[in-house]
Amino acid sequence: MAVVTVRFFGPAAEAAGCRSLSVDADDVARALEEVLARCGPNLAAVLERSALWRNGEPADRATPLASGDELAVLPPVSGG
């Protein structure tokens, strides 16, 4: 398995209770499973609405991960 850093921004950080976590995962789906197992159900609703980026590029749940990758969880932003 690859060791990756998952970074949370805005409401995702609040729901996770932290700004980042290191997880063992070979793809984005597995990384998100690990994150939910550690952070609890409050984060699930935020993840459903969030954009995912791997190393600065858009990603989806099937995107593979390698050791050292960074997965960013970016909730939608509102404002005026």
Side-chain angles (χ1 to χ4, degrees):
M1 291 252 176
V3 177
V4 300
T5 301
V6 181
R7 298 209 183 274
F8 305 101
F9 296 87
E14 292 173 25
C18 62
R19 294 218 168 264
S20 68
L21 285 175
S22 290
V23 299
D24 293 325
D26 289 330
D27 60 28
V28 171
R30 182 69 182 141
L32 296 179
E33 288 173 13
E34 289 292 319
V35 163
L36 287 173
R38 290 193 203 176
C39 298
N42 290 339
L43 184 58
V46 177
L47 285 177
E48 289 178 14
R49 299 184 320 264
S50 295
L52 303 170
W53 287 66
R54 183 197 66 159
N55 300 333
E57 298 289 329
D60 61 29
R61 292 178 181 266
T63 301
L65 298 171
S67 285
D69 281 353
E70 182 176 285
L71 179 64
V73 177
L74 303 165
V77 178
S78 64

